[in-house]
Amino acid sequence: MSNTPVATGAPRELIDPLTTRAAHSDFAVRLRANSEYVVIPLLALIIAAGLFAVFLMAIGKSPVDFVSYVWRGGFGTAFSFQNTLQRSAPLILTALAVAIPARIGLIMIGGEGALVLGGFAAGALAIPMIGHAPPMVALVLMALFAMIVGGFWVGFSGFLRYARGVNETISSLLLTYIGIAIMNFFVEGALRDLSNPNKPSTMPIGDAYMVGKIPGTQVHWGFAFGLALCVALYFLMARTTFGFAARVTGGNSRAALAQGLPVGRLIVACSAIAGACAGLAGFFEVAAIQGRANASLAAGYGFTGILVSFLARHNPLVIPPVAILLGGLVASGGLIQRRMELPDATVLVLQGFIFVVLLTSETLYGRFAIFRSTKERDRT
Amino acid sequence: MNEAAVITVLIAMLGGAIRVSTPFMFVALGECLTEKSGRVNLGLEGTLVLGAMVAYAASYHTGSPWVGVLAAGVAGSVLGAMHGSICGLPRVNDVAVGIAMMLFGVGVAFFFGKPYIQPTAPRLGSIPLGFWSDNASLKSALQVNPLFFIGIALALALAWSLRNTRWGLVVRTVGDSAAAARAMGISVNGVRLMTTTVGGFLAGVGGAFLSLSYPGSWNQGLSSGQGLMAVALVIFARWNPLRCVAAALLFGGAGAIGPSLQSVGITQGYYFFNAAPYILTLGIMIATSSAKHSARDMPGELSMAK
């Protein structure tokens, strides 16, 4: 395994070992090749937006109004942009829950379940600690518990995949439904706060135990943690032996096995990391937004996170901007609903358009000569 | 729990199994046909929801529930054709497209379905098969919807034609070896587009049953995962339409445990019994899969098999 990087680096040095021009042209070639991964998703976004505009016009609404309300509701003012950042925090974390397993070749869509169960676990753990433990200790324990529960939930899908060959996409979505049922079971039963007649919830954790805002903003710390995790997980997957082994497994698991890589442990580890991210998203939803665990946790962030990860091509560093874009769309949903008299599912329809067009655009890779180096073109 | 209550629960479960299994059956038969041709359509959950909405709306506007069933089938085949044609392009992942189609179908259904949550649409009638009995609960349990029998007839027809007709041979060849099918001059993408479209039609009809028979209304929580469970059910049924019917009945029974217990006043653990079908599905998937070799009778071209 340790020989491989040397082997891939060798041909370049053989062609032109010393001159800096070689490095430059290499950079240009890479830029040219990588721009394909930016241009094609952007093209897909534009086409999806165009199709959605046609859809809006077909039902007699103005696409221009729609854009202006998305701008005003999601990005235009300091208040709305901070709201967008706040909404993008769970999207960043649930997108990571898709992106990390994708590196090892799994399509894992259990982020919603891990978010709900993680949030519920955090809210339940808070109940005996309220008024006894110092807030900082309580919050750290809650976050850890949420990550462990979430990690276990998605990790289980990964384990089933490796140990029993169970399709991870189906099992992770089934576990999502089971997770939501478990939360409902407790929230409407044993752990229900009977003093709250409106909506079945756990006991409120109280203002003293809430996660605060990032100083100088109205955005809770979940956003900062999301960004930090994106950077950390990028380095884990791109710059460490663990990440390299995971990517080898994702490329060809039989080859990875033949190399003696611990494929099973890698798959479970990547899935557990994914679940931990989604569980952390649940913790922040409970401890920074809702103040208690209830059915509002299943707000669909886990499903929007799938789209975010695919749009970012499962690259952790690209996830934050994409999450902010879609977070703004989610944040402006209420304004669009009120002002344009459109149903709240409008945002879902737009997301559906984007997702379908994006996956269709996969077929365009490698079709445009402009993205290929002259050498490659000569060869073909 | 005394003896009478046990009998009531069992009868309610029988009726529930028949009712709850019908949408499973249609989605599973549709997915079975699609997977026989070597492609997975995970988007049938979205198709089911959209079918339910379209059926309810069409029944409300035309006054005829059977027009609703047909409209649901057409809507389902549109989604199926979308999936089929997108996946016909090179380098497109059918599982990922399925997830996208699921979100798309659900989004479109919720978008257009908002005005139909309140009004009542004419529902599908049922055949009273319990006329010979004096037992009221048995009578109500044996109010069977005609779609249940249509589903069984379809399963028989599908099983027969997959095995005995030229058309069935073409579908199976495409599903087992695309290269062999191409060598025979069969258009692989054309066959798969057709099977996915027909599969979408059937899933749409399954959705129509949800909104027009049982539970018999349209709301946003109508389907939570039935479409997905039906996909898992096809694996369990080893791609055989007749075993799909048996598996659907089993799942229907599991789904009917919660409501049957509720009918005799046992509400404890309601959420647990609600989760029973999901847990059953997962348990069955764990029990029937193997890490060492792909499932028995699995079409060789399925992306799950590689």
Side-chain angles (χ1 to χ4, degrees):
Chain A
M1 194 189 92
S2 54
N3 293 334
T4 323
V6 180
T8 52
R12 200 205 308 156
E13 282 158 33
L14 288 176
I15 296 162
D16 206 347
L18 290 170
T19 55
T20 46
R21 264 186 80 199
H24 268 293
S25 73
D26 181 55
F27 177 75
V29 166
R30 276 171 55 187
L31 186 72
R32 196 188 265 266
N34 283 330
S35 60
E36 186 176 22
Y37 298 110
V38 178
V39 172
I40 290 179
L42 281 179
L43 188 71
L45 267 182
I46 292 168
I47 292 173
L51 286 174
F52 185 69
V54 173
F55 172 80
L56 281 180
M57 285 192 283
I59 57 165
K61 304 281 178 185
S62 154
V64 180
D65 283 359
F66 185 85
V67 172
S68 79
Y69 285 126
V70 168
W71 177 253
R72 268 169 61 189
F75 304 97
T77 64
F79 173 79
S80 62
F81 188 60
Q82 298 198 4
N83 184 22
T84 292
L85 292 184
Q86 187 132 297
R87 301 253 187 173
S88 68
L91 294 182
I92 291 174
L93 290 167
T94 51
L96 282 174
V98 179
I100 303 302
R103 291 276 141 177
I104 201 161
L106 303 180
I107 304 180
M108 201 64 99
I109 54 176
E112 180 86 354
L115 184 154
V116 168
L117 262 195
F120 165 69
L125 187 70
I127 297 171
M129 293 201 292
I130 298 167
H132 300 292
M136 209 47 217
V137 175
L139 284 175
V140 169
L141 287 176
M142 282 162 68
L144 283 177
F145 192 42
M147 288 173 77
I148 291 168
V149 169
F152 174 78
W153 209 241
V154 182
F156 185 55
S157 273
F159 170 75
L160 289 180
R161 168 72 206 213
Y162 175 71
R164 297 288 308 166
V166 175
N167 181 289
E168 79 284 357
T169 313
I170 297 177
S171 76
S172 60
L173 195 49
L174 282 174
L175 281 169
T176 294
Y177 291 116
I178 297 173
I180 293 172
I182 291 176
M183 182 203 61
N184 282 332
F185 174 71
F186 282 109
V187 165
E188 304 206 7
L191 294 179
R192 181 167 182 178
D193 173 19
L194 293 171
S195 63
N196 180 356
N198 299 322
K199 190 170 191 176
S201 309
T202 58
M203 291 266 288
I205 63 173
D207 287 344
Y209 288 84
M210 295 284 280
V211 170
K213 312 281 183 196
I214 301 170
T217 68
Q218 290 299 309
V219 185
H220 67 69
W221 278 101
F223 182 71
F225 273 85
L227 291 186
L229 264 176
C230 280
V231 176
L233 289 177
Y234 172 79
F235 274 98
L236 178 72
M237 298 314 282
R239 292 281 182 270
T240 64
T241 345
F242 172 86
F244 179 69
R247 283 181 291 130
V248 169
T249 308
N252 186 337
S253 65
R254 274 181 208 152
L257 270 176
Q259 284 281 332
L261 292 178
V263 170
R265 259 182 287 162
L266 286 168
I267 285 179
V268 175
C270 284
S271 309
I273 291 172
C277 291
L280 191 66
F283 161 76
F284 279 111
E285 283 305 291
V286 165
I289 308 268
Q290 310 279 354
R292 53 179 72 80
N294 58 32
S296 311
L297 279 174
Y301 283 123
F303 296 117
T304 307
I306 303 171
L307 174 57
V308 172
S309 183
F310 271 88
L311 259 178
R313 296 194 62 82
H314 311 307
N315 181 341
L317 290 185
V318 188
I319 283 175
V322 178
I324 291 170
L325 184 71
L326 285 175
L329 199 63
V330 174
S332 57
L335 188 70
I336 290 161
Q337 205 182 335
R338 285 193 304 276
R339 298 288 177 82
M340 292 183 74
E341 291 173 350
L342 283 169
D344 50 355
T346 312
V347 175
L348 288 181
V349 175
L350 177 53
Q351 286 179 7
F353 271 108
I354 296 174
F355 210 163
V356 172
V357 175
L358 178 76
L359 290 174
T360 310
S361 75
E362 290 282 320
T363 191
L364 296 178
Y365 288 94
R367 293 234 183 143
F368 299 114
I370 190 169
F371 296 122
R372 276 188 283 163
S373 68
T374 40
K375 254 182 245 161
E376 248 182 283
R377 257 178 285 173
D378 292 343
R379 227 179 288 154
T380 46
Chain B
M1 206 154 67
N2 57 27
E3 208 172 302
V6 172
I7 291 173
T8 315
V9 168
L10 286 180
I11 290 175
M13 268 186 69
L14 167 74
I18 293 174
R19 275 195 295 270
V20 179
S21 67
T22 310
F24 279 124
M25 199 155 73
F26 276 93
V27 180
L29 288 176
E31 181 71 14
C32 181
L33 177 64
T34 307
E35 290 190 10
K36 269 282 180 194
S37 75
R39 195 173 271 160
V40 181
N41 183 0
L42 269 189
L44 289 187
E45 172 74 16
T47 312
L48 191 75
V49 176
L50 186 68
M53 192 286 289
V54 169
Y56 202 74
S59 171
Y60 174 72
H61 285 298
T62 64
S64 160
W66 288 103
V67 173
V69 172
L70 194 67
V74 171
S77 32
V78 171
L79 285 189
M82 258 175 89
H83 184 281
S85 45
I86 291 172
C87 293
L89 299 166
R91 277 191 302 282
V92 174
N93 179 337
D94 56 352
V95 172
V97 173
I99 299 169
M101 293 300 299
M102 174 161 35
L103 298 180
F104 179 74
V106 170
V108 171
F110 288 2
F111 184 90
F112 289 109
K114 195 101 189 248
Y116 299 104
I117 294 176
Q118 288 292 337
T120 318
R123 309 229 208 114
L124 290 169
S126 4
I127 309 168
L129 289 179
F131 56 85
W132 46 270
S133 166
D134 298 329
N135 189 326
S137 57
L138 192 62
K139 268 187 176 169
S140 80
L142 287 178
Q143 293 276 339
V144 181
N145 192 292
L147 277 178
F148 178 73
F149 298 108
I150 295 177
I152 290 180
L154 260 173
L156 288 167
L158 193 61
W160 182 82
S161 48
L162 275 174
R163 187 183 288 265
N164 295 315
T165 62
R166 179 183 162 72
W167 173 86
L169 180 68
V170 166
V171 169
R172 283 186 292 136
T173 310
V174 168
D176 276 327
S177 167
R182 267 186 218 107
M184 283 167 67
I186 300 168
S187 156
V188 171
N189 279 329
V191 171
R192 288 181 179 164
L193 174 63
M194 197 189 65
T195 58
T196 318
T197 310
V198 175
F201 185 94
L202 293 180
V205 172
F209 181 89
L210 281 180
S211 64
L212 293 179
S213 178
Y214 182 80
S217 65
W218 158 250
N219 63 64
Q220 299 199 345
L222 189 59
S223 163
S224 44
Q226 277 103 319
L228 183 84
M229 282 188 273
V231 174
L233 190 151
V234 177
I235 304 171
F236 170 52
R238 298 211 307 268
W239 297 273
N240 177 327
L242 296 179
R243 278 198 291 257
C244 281
V245 172
L249 278 169
L250 177 70
F251 276 59
I257 296 175
S260 323
L261 286 177
Q262 224 181 7
S263 70
V264 293
I266 300 173
T267 52
Q268 228 172 7
Y270 175 72
Y271 285 99
F272 173 74
F273 288 115
N274 257 359
Y278 309 115
I279 297 171
L280 179 73
T281 313
L282 194 61
I284 282 176
M285 283 182 76
I286 295 168
T288 54
S289 311
S290 161
K292 299 281 182 292
H293 42 83
S294 55
R296 206 145 51 102
D297 306 335
M298 180 186 257
E301 286 286 320
L302 278 191
S303 52
M304 286 189 280
K306 286 171 182 169

